[in-house]
mmCIF file of all heavy atoms in Angstrom:
data_model
loop_
_atom_site.group_PDB
_atom_site.id
_atom_site.type_symbol
_atom_site.label_atom_id
_atom_site.label_comp_id
_atom_site.label_asym_id
_atom_site.label_seq_id
_atom_site.Cartn_x
_atom_site.Cartn_y
_atom_site.Cartn_z
ATOM 1 N N LYS A 10 50.421 139.259 49.537
ATOM 2 C CA LYS A 10 51.856 139.310 49.289
ATOM 3 C C LYS A 10 52.620 138.437 50.287
ATOM 4 O O LYS A 10 53.625 137.819 49.938
ATOM 5 C CB LYS A 10 52.355 140.746 49.363
ATOM 6 C CG LYS A 10 51.864 141.633 48.223
ATOM 7 C CD LYS A 10 52.452 143.016 48.321
ATOM 8 C CE LYS A 10 51.982 143.886 47.155
ATOM 9 N NZ LYS A 10 52.536 145.274 47.238
ATOM 10 N N MET A 11 52.141 138.398 51.530
ATOM 11 C CA MET A 11 52.753 137.509 52.507
ATOM 12 C C MET A 11 52.624 136.056 52.071
ATOM 13 O O MET A 11 53.575 135.273 52.175
ATOM 14 C CB MET A 11 52.098 137.698 53.882
ATOM 15 C CG MET A 11 52.473 138.977 54.588
ATOM 16 S SD MET A 11 51.585 139.137 56.163
ATOM 17 C CE MET A 11 52.059 137.633 56.983
ATOM 18 N N ARG A 12 51.456 135.704 51.572
ATOM 19 C CA ARG A 12 51.234 134.327 51.151
ATOM 20 C C ARG A 12 52.149 133.959 49.973
ATOM 21 O O ARG A 12 52.628 132.825 49.873
ATOM 22 C CB ARG A 12 49.769 134.130 50.770
ATOM 23 C CG ARG A 12 49.387 132.674 50.557
ATOM 24 C CD ARG A 12 47.912 132.518 50.267
ATOM 25 N NE ARG A 12 47.142 132.720 51.479
ATOM 26 C CZ ARG A 12 46.368 133.779 51.702
ATOM 27 N NH1 ARG A 12 46.273 134.725 50.792
ATOM 28 N NH2 ARG A 12 45.684 133.898 52.814
ATOM 29 N N ILE A 13 52.398 134.915 49.086
ATOM 30 C CA ILE A 13 53.283 134.654 47.951
ATOM 31 C C ILE A 13 54.727 134.479 48.424
ATOM 32 O O ILE A 13 55.440 133.568 47.982
ATOM 33 C CB ILE A 13 53.178 135.797 46.920
ATOM 34 C CG1 ILE A 13 51.783 135.800 46.283
ATOM 35 C CG2 ILE A 13 54.253 135.665 45.851
ATOM 36 C CD1 ILE A 13 51.524 136.984 45.385
ATOM 37 N N LYS A 14 55.174 135.351 49.328
ATOM 38 C CA LYS A 14 56.544 135.252 49.815
ATOM 39 C C LYS A 14 56.776 134.000 50.663
ATOM 40 O O LYS A 14 57.895 133.477 50.706
ATOM 41 C CB LYS A 14 56.890 136.499 50.627
ATOM 42 C CG LYS A 14 57.015 137.763 49.781
ATOM 43 C CD LYS A 14 57.483 138.943 50.626
ATOM 44 C CE LYS A 14 57.681 140.176 49.762
ATOM 45 N NZ LYS A 14 58.197 141.334 50.536
ATOM 46 N N LEU A 15 55.743 133.537 51.340
ATOM 47 C CA LEU A 15 55.864 132.357 52.195
ATOM 48 C C LEU A 15 55.327 131.105 51.511
ATOM 49 O O LEU A 15 55.019 130.118 52.182
ATOM 50 C CB LEU A 15 55.109 132.575 53.511
ATOM 51 C CG LEU A 15 55.570 133.740 54.379
ATOM 52 C CD1 LEU A 15 54.648 133.895 55.582
ATOM 53 C CD2 LEU A 15 57.009 133.544 54.836
ATOM 54 N N SER A 16 55.199 131.135 50.190
ATOM 55 C CA SER A 16 54.543 130.031 49.479
ATOM 56 C C SER A 16 55.279 128.707 49.678
ATOM 57 O O SER A 16 54.635 127.656 49.815
ATOM 58 C CB SER A 16 54.447 130.366 47.991
ATOM 59 O OG SER A 16 55.734 130.613 47.448
ATOM 60 N N SER A 17 56.620 128.737 49.693
ATOM 61 C CA SER A 17 57.355 127.486 49.855
ATOM 62 C C SER A 17 57.133 126.883 51.238
ATOM 63 O O SER A 17 56.922 125.670 51.379
ATOM 64 C CB SER A 17 58.849 127.724 49.616
ATOM 65 O OG SER A 17 59.359 128.656 50.546
ATOM 66 N N ARG A 18 57.165 127.724 52.268
ATOM 67 C CA ARG A 18 56.939 127.219 53.627
ATOM 68 C C ARG A 18 55.497 126.771 53.825
ATOM 69 O O ARG A 18 55.238 125.748 54.463
ATOM 70 C CB ARG A 18 57.289 128.309 54.657
ATOM 71 C CG ARG A 18 58.774 128.645 54.722
ATOM 72 C CD ARG A 18 59.048 129.653 55.816
ATOM 73 N NE ARG A 18 60.453 129.981 55.944
ATOM 74 C CZ ARG A 18 61.312 129.308 56.691
ATOM 75 N NH1 ARG A 18 60.904 128.263 57.385
ATOM 76 N NH2 ARG A 18 62.583 129.690 56.761
ATOM 77 N N ILE A 19 54.560 127.529 53.274
ATOM 78 C CA ILE A 19 53.149 127.149 53.399
ATOM 79 C C ILE A 19 52.879 125.862 52.630
ATOM 80 O O ILE A 19 52.146 124.979 53.091
ATOM 81 C CB ILE A 19 52.241 128.290 52.914
ATOM 82 C CG1 ILE A 19 52.389 129.513 53.822
ATOM 83 C CG2 ILE A 19 50.788 127.854 52.864
ATOM 84 C CD1 ILE A 19 51.636 130.727 53.341
ATOM 85 N N GLY A 20 53.479 125.750 51.435
ATOM 86 C CA GLY A 20 53.307 124.530 50.661
ATOM 87 C C GLY A 20 53.842 123.305 51.373
ATOM 88 O O GLY A 20 53.287 122.209 51.253
ATOM 89 N N PHE A 21 54.927 123.466 52.132
ATOM 90 C CA PHE A 21 55.452 122.354 52.921
ATOM 91 C C PHE A 21 54.533 122.040 54.095
ATOM 92 O O PHE A 21 54.370 120.874 54.477
ATOM 93 C CB PHE A 21 56.849 122.713 53.432
ATOM 94 C CG PHE A 21 57.613 121.557 54.003
ATOM 95 C CD1 PHE A 21 58.361 120.731 53.201
ATOM 96 C CD2 PHE A 21 57.575 121.303 55.369
ATOM 97 C CE1 PHE A 21 59.060 119.664 53.729
ATOM 98 C CE2 PHE A 21 58.276 120.241 55.915
ATOM 99 C CZ PHE A 21 59.021 119.417 55.083
ATOM 100 N N ALA A 22 53.890 123.063 54.654
ATOM 101 C CA ALA A 22 53.062 122.866 55.854
ATOM 102 C C ALA A 22 51.710 122.245 55.537
ATOM 103 O O ALA A 22 51.172 121.494 56.352
ATOM 104 C CB ALA A 22 52.863 124.197 56.568
ATOM 105 N N ILE A 23 51.142 122.544 54.366
ATOM 106 C CA ILE A 23 49.781 122.081 54.089
ATOM 107 C C ILE A 23 49.724 120.566 53.903
ATOM 108 O O ILE A 23 48.626 119.995 53.960
ATOM 109 C CB ILE A 23 49.198 122.771 52.853
ATOM 110 C CG1 ILE A 23 50.060 122.494 51.612
ATOM 111 C CG2 ILE A 23 49.058 124.266 53.082
ATOM 112 C CD1 ILE A 23 49.486 123.086 50.343
ATOM 113 N N HIS A 24 50.862 119.899 53.688
ATOM 114 C CA HIS A 24 50.845 118.445 53.573
ATOM 115 C C HIS A 24 50.655 117.785 54.938
ATOM 116 O O HIS A 24 50.316 116.602 54.994
ATOM 117 C CB HIS A 24 52.141 117.954 52.931
ATOM 118 C CG HIS A 24 52.255 118.285 51.480
ATOM 119 N ND1 HIS A 24 51.754 117.489 50.479
ATOM 120 C CD2 HIS A 24 52.793 119.362 50.857
ATOM 121 C CE1 HIS A 24 51.984 118.036 49.304
ATOM 122 N NE2 HIS A 24 52.624 119.174 49.512
ATOM 123 N N ALA A 25 50.892 118.520 56.008
ATOM 124 C CA ALA A 25 50.655 118.009 57.358
ATOM 125 C C ALA A 25 49.302 118.501 57.863
ATOM 126 O O ALA A 25 48.600 119.260 57.183
ATOM 127 C CB ALA A 25 51.784 118.458 58.299
ATOM 128 N N ASP A 26 48.931 118.064 59.045
ATOM 129 C CA ASP A 26 47.679 118.518 59.666
ATOM 130 C C ASP A 26 47.937 119.856 60.354
ATOM 131 O O ASP A 26 48.019 119.946 61.581
ATOM 132 C CB ASP A 26 47.179 117.473 60.675
ATOM 133 C CG ASP A 26 46.907 116.134 60.003
ATOM 134 O OD1 ASP A 26 46.471 116.158 58.838
ATOM 135 O OD2 ASP A 26 47.133 115.088 60.624
ATOM 136 N N SER A 27 48.066 120.901 59.538
ATOM 137 C CA SER A 27 48.470 122.208 60.046
ATOM 138 C C SER A 27 47.400 123.271 59.822
ATOM 139 O O SER A 27 47.715 124.454 59.715
ATOM 140 C CB SER A 27 49.766 122.641 59.370
ATOM 141 O OG SER A 27 49.621 122.648 57.959
ATOM 142 N N THR A 28 46.126 122.867 59.737
ATOM 143 C CA THR A 28 45.055 123.840 59.495
ATOM 144 C C THR A 28 44.980 124.874 60.605
ATOM 145 O O THR A 28 44.867 126.083 60.358
ATOM 146 C CB THR A 28 43.708 123.119 59.357
ATOM 147 O OG1 THR A 28 43.805 122.144 58.315
ATOM 148 C CG2 THR A 28 42.603 124.096 59.012
ATOM 149 N N ASN A 29 45.060 124.420 61.851
ATOM 150 C CA ASN A 29 44.976 125.339 62.984
ATOM 151 C C ASN A 29 46.175 126.281 63.018
ATOM 152 O O ASN A 29 46.042 127.471 63.355
ATOM 153 C CB ASN A 29 44.890 124.555 64.292
ATOM 154 C CG ASN A 29 44.634 125.447 65.489
ATOM 155 O OD1 ASN A 29 43.667 126.204 65.497
ATOM 156 N ND2 ASN A 29 45.502 125.367 66.488
ATOM 157 N N LEU A 30 47.367 125.786 62.659
ATOM 158 C CA LEU A 30 48.559 126.635 62.632
ATOM 159 C C LEU A 30 48.411 127.741 61.594
ATOM 160 O O LEU A 30 48.709 128.911 61.873
ATOM 161 C CB LEU A 30 49.794 125.780 62.328
ATOM 162 C CG LEU A 30 51.106 126.539 62.079
ATOM 163 C CD1 LEU A 30 51.546 127.280 63.323
ATOM 164 C CD2 LEU A 30 52.193 125.580 61.612
ATOM 165 N N LEU A 31 47.956 127.401 60.398
ATOM 166 C CA LEU A 31 47.798 128.403 59.348
ATOM 167 C C LEU A 31 46.717 129.414 59.715
ATOM 168 O O LEU A 31 46.817 130.596 59.373
ATOM 169 C CB LEU A 31 47.466 127.720 58.025
ATOM 170 C CG LEU A 31 48.562 126.814 57.450
ATOM 171 C CD1 LEU A 31 48.081 126.134 56.183
ATOM 172 C CD2 LEU A 31 49.830 127.604 57.191
ATOM 173 N N LYS A 32 45.680 128.972 60.404
ATOM 174 C CA LYS A 32 44.646 129.913 60.858
ATOM 175 C C LYS A 32 45.207 130.862 61.908
ATOM 176 O O LYS A 32 44.882 132.051 61.930
ATOM 177 C CB LYS A 32 43.452 129.149 61.427
ATOM 178 C CG LYS A 32 42.544 128.536 60.375
ATOM 179 C CD LYS A 32 41.344 127.892 61.032
ATOM 180 C CE LYS A 32 40.389 127.326 59.987
ATOM 181 N NZ LYS A 32 39.200 126.677 60.615
ATOM 182 N N THR A 33 46.056 130.339 62.792
ATOM 183 C CA THR A 33 46.598 131.166 63.870
ATOM 184 C C THR A 33 47.455 132.304 63.321
ATOM 185 O O THR A 33 47.403 133.433 63.825
ATOM 186 C CB THR A 33 47.425 130.291 64.822
ATOM 187 O OG1 THR A 33 46.604 129.236 65.333
ATOM 188 C CG2 THR A 33 47.961 131.109 65.981
ATOM 189 N N ILE A 34 48.244 132.028 62.288
ATOM 190 C CA ILE A 34 49.097 133.074 61.724
ATOM 191 C C ILE A 34 48.419 133.802 60.574
ATOM 192 O O ILE A 34 49.025 134.676 59.941
ATOM 193 C CB ILE A 34 50.440 132.470 61.241
ATOM 194 C CG1 ILE A 34 50.203 131.463 60.111
ATOM 195 C CG2 ILE A 34 51.184 131.837 62.392
ATOM 196 C CD1 ILE A 34 51.492 130.889 59.537
ATOM 197 N N GLY A 35 47.155 133.460 60.300
ATOM 198 C CA GLY A 35 46.393 134.172 59.284
ATOM 199 C C GLY A 35 46.795 133.878 57.860
ATOM 200 O O GLY A 35 46.620 134.721 56.977
ATOM 201 N N MET A 36 47.303 132.675 57.614
ATOM 202 C CA MET A 36 47.772 132.331 56.281
ATOM 203 C C MET A 36 46.891 131.301 55.597
ATOM 204 O O MET A 36 47.250 130.792 54.541
ATOM 205 C CB MET A 36 49.207 131.787 56.348
ATOM 206 C CG MET A 36 50.262 132.840 56.591
ATOM 207 S SD MET A 36 50.482 133.959 55.189
ATOM 208 C CE MET A 36 49.557 135.397 55.743
ATOM 209 N N GLU A 37 45.730 130.965 56.178
ATOM 210 C CA GLU A 37 44.863 130.016 55.496
ATOM 211 C C GLU A 37 44.108 130.722 54.374
ATOM 212 O O GLU A 37 43.833 131.925 54.440
ATOM 213 C CB GLU A 37 43.889 129.375 56.489
ATOM 214 C CG GLU A 37 42.597 130.141 56.744
ATOM 215 C CD GLU A 37 42.774 131.307 57.676
ATOM 216 O OE1 GLU A 37 43.929 131.599 58.046
ATOM 217 O OE2 GLU A 37 41.766 131.927 58.037
ATOM 218 N N LYS A 38 43.802 129.978 53.341
ATOM 219 C CA LYS A 38 43.063 130.537 52.208
ATOM 220 C C LYS A 38 41.954 129.555 51.847
ATOM 221 O O LYS A 38 42.099 128.706 50.986
ATOM 222 C CB LYS A 38 43.979 130.771 51.010
ATOM 223 C CG LYS A 38 43.330 131.562 49.874
ATOM 224 C CD LYS A 38 44.316 131.870 48.781
ATOM 225 C CE LYS A 38 43.670 132.730 47.694
ATOM 226 N NZ LYS A 38 44.628 133.046 46.607
ATOM 227 N N THR A 39 40.829 129.698 52.546
ATOM 228 C CA THR A 39 39.696 128.808 52.354
ATOM 229 C C THR A 39 38.540 129.563 51.725
ATOM 230 O O THR A 39 38.496 130.790 51.720
ATOM 231 C CB THR A 39 39.252 128.206 53.697
ATOM 232 O OG1 THR A 39 38.875 129.276 54.586
ATOM 233 C CG2 THR A 39 40.382 127.408 54.332
ATOM 234 N N LEU A 40 37.581 128.812 51.196
ATOM 235 C CA LEU A 40 36.421 129.434 50.569
ATOM 236 C C LEU A 40 35.608 130.223 51.580
ATOM 237 O O LEU A 40 35.102 131.312 51.286
ATOM 238 C CB LEU A 40 35.548 128.357 49.908
ATOM 239 C CG LEU A 40 34.291 128.844 49.190
ATOM 240 C CD1 LEU A 40 34.663 129.790 48.060
ATOM 241 C CD2 LEU A 40 33.492 127.664 48.662
#
């Protein structure tokens, strides 16, 4: 639910080199 509510901000962030940032806040969604 957090990922859905933050989808616009996450979508803006994934275009940059922000893998470590998304991992730090627990918002990465990898296989």
Side-chain angles (χ1 to χ4, degrees):
K10 291 183 179 179
M11 287 177 56
R12 190 176 286 110
I13 293 173
K14 290 185 177 183
L15 300 175
S16 58
S17 61
R18 292 184 178 272
I19 295 174
F21 192 86
I23 59 177
H24 289 273
D26 300 326
S27 56
T28 304
N29 187 55
L30 172 64
L31 295 177
K32 283 184 177 180
T33 303
I34 63 177
M36 286 291 101
E37 86 282 6
K38 190 175 183 180
T39 60
L40 181 61

